[in-house]
Amino acid sequence: MIKKDLVSKGKAKSLYSTDDDGLLLMEYRDDTSAFDGKKKEALKGKGEINNKFNGFIMKHLQQNGVETHFVEEISPNESLVTRLDMLPVECVVRNIATGSLCRRLGVEEGIKFKDPLFEFFLKDDDLGDPLINDNHIIAFGWGTQEEIDFMKKQTFLINKVLCTLFDEANLILVDYKVEYGRTSEGLLLGDEFTPDGCRIWDKDTGESLDKDRFRKDLGDVVESYQIVAHKLGMEI
Ligand code: CDP
């Protein structure tokens, strides 16, 4: 596999073309950002732990009926993925109320939902990723009804699979964000699943073991990702 040109550089990952037109190389960098890119720092070792973390989760999802763009890890901080045409929307599922939901609705932190809550956001840093609904997606042509239905069904399936995985490791999957992209055969889970894009609490202590440590300046960010990886049984 030959790494070719830089296709896009995001806040924490870079995408490169390869000698195979259908495959991209995803490089996980140490760069960490929050608040739509307003807070930034490079955290040594984060690229490597996130690459491994993502590979482990994507493989687990694939074994449990969720097709993803992940192909394989090819170096400590690089993976091969299927080329996708990404939809400009973020799918968030929440099991416990926190973060932007509480700020937006003025509701109490920590409410546990009987059924998980699903929200769409528009992927646009300049606008602060605003909350949108199904009708916005259809009206502006960001996706079809069929794609909306698929994203909801698949994101809830991911929740079921991962809540079980985290629960068995004495962890709580509080909320997370996933993104989907098109292939000629339909939608696939794209982007990443790492502690950069989800909230994970220790079941006994309630301690945050995810990017909230960076957002709130709690320290030990990479160390906390490693603790989660270890609890989930990853070899790191
Ligand atoms: O993180 P914040 O409070 O701003 O937003 P949220 O809507 O409460 O985030 C819900 C979940 O989605 C959290 O696990 C975030 O880490 C994740 N998320 C993300 O990964 N990327 C975004 N652009 C927005 C949310």
Side-chain angles (χ1 to χ4, degrees):
M1 181 57 51
I2 301 164
K3 183 173 179 177
K4 292 175 81 181
D5 306 318
L6 179 69
V7 175
S8 67
K9 188 171 178 188
K11 290 184 293 258
K13 303 190 294 297
S14 301
L15 274 180
Y16 292 85
S17 58
T18 68
D19 52 345
D20 183 332
D21 222 27
L23 296 177
L24 294 174
L25 187 151
M26 189 171 258
E27 180 193 71
Y28 287 80
R29 308 193 315 271
D30 288 346
D31 298 331
T32 313
S33 82
F35 311 122
D36 299 313
K38 288 180 203 86
K39 179 177 162 100
K40 284 192 247 182
E41 205 179 314
L43 300 173
K44 199 169 172 327
K46 202 205 58 158
E48 288 198 14
I49 180 72
N50 272 6
N51 186 43
K52 287 198 185 68
F53 198 106
N54 178 69
F56 178 88
I57 297 287
M58 290 284 172
K59 280 180 243 171
H60 185 77
L61 289 172
Q62 283 163 352
Q63 285 158 10
N64 286 277
V66 179
E67 278 193 82
T68 87
H69 72 154
F70 176 78
V71 179
E72 60 177 344
E73 287 161 51
I74 54 164
S75 86
N77 70 332
E78 295 168 315
S79 288
L80 273 185
V81 298
T82 303
R83 186 190 281 272
L84 298 178
D85 174 21
M86 296 304 290
L87 273 68
V89 299
E90 301 185 335
C91 303
V92 167
V93 161
R94 303 174 188 276
N95 296 302
I96 299 180
T98 187
S100 76
L101 177 72
C102 296
R103 293 195 296 273
R104 190 181 342 119
L105 301 180
V107 292
E108 202 183 313
E109 291 252 353
I111 295 171
K112 288 194 182 71
F113 301 119
K114 191 168 146 283
D115 296 310
L117 188 73
F118 182 98
E119 295 175 328
F120 279 123
F121 293 88
L122 179 65
K123 227 177 130 55
D124 189 323
D125 276 346
D126 293 340
L127 297 177
D129 293 344
L131 179 78
I132 53 170
N133 66 28
D134 303 23
N135 296 115
H136 295 102
I137 295 178
I138 301 284
F140 294 105
W142 294 321
T144 64
Q145 187 62 54
E146 200 187 348
E147 288 173 333
I148 290 169
D149 295 343
F150 179 84
M151 288 191 281
K152 288 187 187 174
K153 190 172 131 257
Q154 202 73 338
T155 308
F156 282 128
L157 172 59
I158 291 168
N159 196 49
K160 207 167 150 209
V161 171
L162 294 187
C163 279
T164 305
L165 179 76
F166 281 74
D167 184 61
E168 286 170 359
N170 212 36
L171 297 164
I172 301 170
L173 181 60
V174 175
D175 57 27
Y176 60 90
K177 183 264 303 179
V178 289
E179 296 178 27
Y180 294 87
R182 298 183 184 104
T183 68
S184 52
E185 282 146 51
L187 292 190
L188 274 187
L189 177 67
D191 195 45
E192 65 178 87
F193 195 104
T194 69
D196 271 2
C198 66
R199 288 193 172 95
I200 304 160
W201 293 350
D202 183 290
K203 219 197 276 181
D204 296 328
T205 64
E207 193 184 10
S208 289
L209 299 169
D210 53 68
K211 203 166 81 175
D212 269 351
R213 300 200 70 84
F214 175 70
R215 292 187 186 96
K216 298 179 180 173
D217 288 321
L218 297 174
D220 292 335
V221 180
V222 174
E223 291 77 3
S224 298
Y225 291 18
Q226 284 164 341
I227 289 171
V228 175
H230 183 72
K231 282 180 186 267
L232 290 174
M234 276 175 232
E235 282 170 27
I236 49 160

